[in-house]
Amino acid sequence: MKNGTCWVDEEGNFIQAHGGVIIQVEDTYYWYGENKDAETQGNRVPFLGFSCYSSKNMRSWHNEGVVLRAVEDDLEHELSTNKVGERPKVVYNQKTKKFVMWFHLDDATYHYARIGVAVADAPAGPFEYQGSLQPSSKHKDSRDMTLYQDEDDAVYLICSTDWNATTLICQLNEEYTGLTGEFKLAFIEQFREAPVVIKENGLYYMFGSGCTGWNPNAMLYGSAKEVTGSWLLIDNPCTGSDYRKTFHGQTSNTFKFNGQWYIMLDHWDKDDLRMSGYSFLPVRFNGNEVEIPWTEEFLGV
Ligand code: GAL
């Protein structure tokens, strides 16, 4: 898997799982993401739904199909093809035994700025749409987002709010289908997007991009002692050629494989979004400092 390029599934078709997430269920990895397999019109492709791929080794990916499908015959529906669905994230709820997906739900102008929620009984779906919500009554808009599941199984929504000026962190309810109402602001007026979180050596690290649409910019990271504590913005962790542009990529998720943390990037092709590539880059911790070096290939070992 050559980093920065399009990757293919086990049948040789391009993997359509952009802005995604990878979770492990027993000995299988599931990769969910945006299916952008349509012609780019202006700034976007029609909303098609979210794909799922499975793998035992992180290299050979089996297409499980579209697990939450766009609604084709009702343009008023929140999941219709004229909407935007981005950055699906999936967590497993031990208590309800459900897989719960949250995603950025929007209209084509990015003014709707809500969160969609869907639930499934099995990792490869199908996911049943539950409806949409706003993160808080004070900070109503939510655009780029992730879910972070802590060691105690508490799950947090981390999203860009206030027209992307600020990051908002909210705890999910026990079912993971709604919010508790408590929230914490981070990186106030720092205009961060595409958040992802790793916990290592007792600290939480958040990585993300700036706000330049499909164009790359510098990744920055910060750390905190608690997810809802005070976040300290630190610096750009990337090293190597084009480190000031995140190697022409943007963060989408993190995962641990064979004891090593990786960060996944989308390499957006804004003229033909379906041809956007991916990278899995190692995340190296040295004390409280973090380095993300460019590597040519993901070997998965
Ligand atoms: C990016 C964001 C992507 C997508 C894009 C649209 O900043 O991270 O998920 O929303 O803007 O231009």
Side-chain angles (χ1 to χ4, degrees):
M1 289 155 84
K2 198 169 159 1
N3 282 328
T5 67
C6 298
W7 293 345
V8 291
D9 65 16
E10 61 187 15
E11 289 175 351
N13 298 314
F14 287 123
I15 293 178
Q16 287 297 326
H18 310 279
V21 70
I22 292 174
I23 63 166
Q24 186 178 355
V25 182
E26 293 163 4
D27 63 348
T28 306
Y29 296 92
Y30 291 89
W31 176 0
Y32 306 87
E34 301 157 23
N35 181 349
K36 289 189 155 355
D37 197 8
E39 206 176 308
T40 300
Q41 298 157 1
N43 197 24
R44 59 187 288 277
V45 295
F47 178 53
L48 301 176
F50 299 124
S51 321
C52 176
Y53 294 81
S54 61
S55 176
K56 301 262 188 220
N57 58 15
M58 289 287 229
R59 291 185 298 279
S60 171
W61 291 95
H62 175 73
N63 188 355
E64 301 278 356
V66 178
V67 293
L68 181 69
R69 212 164 261 291
V71 172
E72 285 180 15
D73 53 4
D74 177 6
L75 288 182
E76 299 304 313
H77 197 282
E78 280 192 312
L79 298 188
S80 72
T81 51
N82 61 354
K83 304 296 190 299
V84 165
E86 292 179 339
R87 298 187 179 271
K89 306 294 168 212
V90 176
V91 284
Y92 178 63
N93 190 309
Q94 295 280 357
K95 286 192 188 128
T96 62
K97 310 281 179 226
K98 304 273 186 196
F99 292 85
V100 187
M101 175 189 281
W102 285 44
F103 57 96
H104 174 192
L105 175 69
D106 225 314
D107 61 21
T109 67
Y110 286 91
H111 277 66
Y112 197 53
R114 292 176 71 96
I115 298 152
V117 180
V119 170
D121 292 324
F127 281 80
E128 198 175 317
Y129 187 55
Q130 309 290 299
S132 74
L133 54 93
Q134 292 177 319
S136 106
S137 53
K138 279 200 183 135
H139 306 275
K140 290 191 166 43
D141 60 318
S142 170
R143 292 185 176 81
D144 276 13
M145 52 140 290
T146 196
L147 291 181
Y148 176 69
Q149 189 161 28
D150 210 346
E151 287 155 348
D152 61 0
D153 272 344
V155 175
Y156 300 87
L157 165 75
I158 301 170
C159 64
S160 306
T161 193
D162 300 345
W163 275 103
N164 295 337
T166 296
T167 301
L168 181 67
I169 303 167
C170 314
Q171 191 173 344
L172 271 56
N173 65 15
E174 281 202 6
E175 294 77 33
Y176 302 165
T177 51
L179 295 166
T180 60
E182 300 294 314
F183 67 83
K184 167 82 186 171
L185 297 179
F187 308 132
I188 295 163
E189 295 297 313
Q190 298 301 311
F191 289 89
R192 308 310 301 159
E193 272 194 334
V196 297
V197 174
I198 289 176
K199 186 177 187 191
E200 182 70 8
N201 299 327
L203 275 185
Y204 297 87
Y205 294 89
M206 198 189 307
F207 304 81
S209 73
C211 301
T212 51
W214 304 119
N215 297 315
N217 53 57
M219 186 194 303
L220 292 179
Y221 78 104
S223 71
K225 290 192 181 132
E226 303 289 337
V227 185
T228 52
S230 290
W231 284 87
L232 176 70
L233 193 56
I234 302 175
D235 214 328
N236 180 349
C238 300
T239 57
S241 168
D242 294 324
Y243 72 100
R244 295 170 86 149
K245 293 272 184 221
T246 314
F247 320 113
H248 300 281
Q250 186 186 27
T251 39
S252 66
N253 76 79
T254 57
F255 60 86
K256 207 172 201 178
F257 181 65
N258 283 345
Q260 169 68 50
W261 278 109
Y262 289 88
I263 199 157
M264 181 163 168
L265 306 181
D266 292 299
H267 294 265
W268 301 114
D269 179 343
K270 64 179 176 189
D271 299 318
D272 193 2
L273 286 162
R274 72 180 132 196
M275 298 305 288
S276 301
Y278 309 101
S279 294
F280 292 166
L281 300 179
V283 183
R284 295 193 183 135
F285 292 90
N286 180 10
N288 290 345
E289 291 202 358
V290 185
E291 184 195 359
I292 301 179
W294 172 253
T295 51
E296 290 296 330
E297 213 175 336
F298 172 73
L299 299 171
V301 285

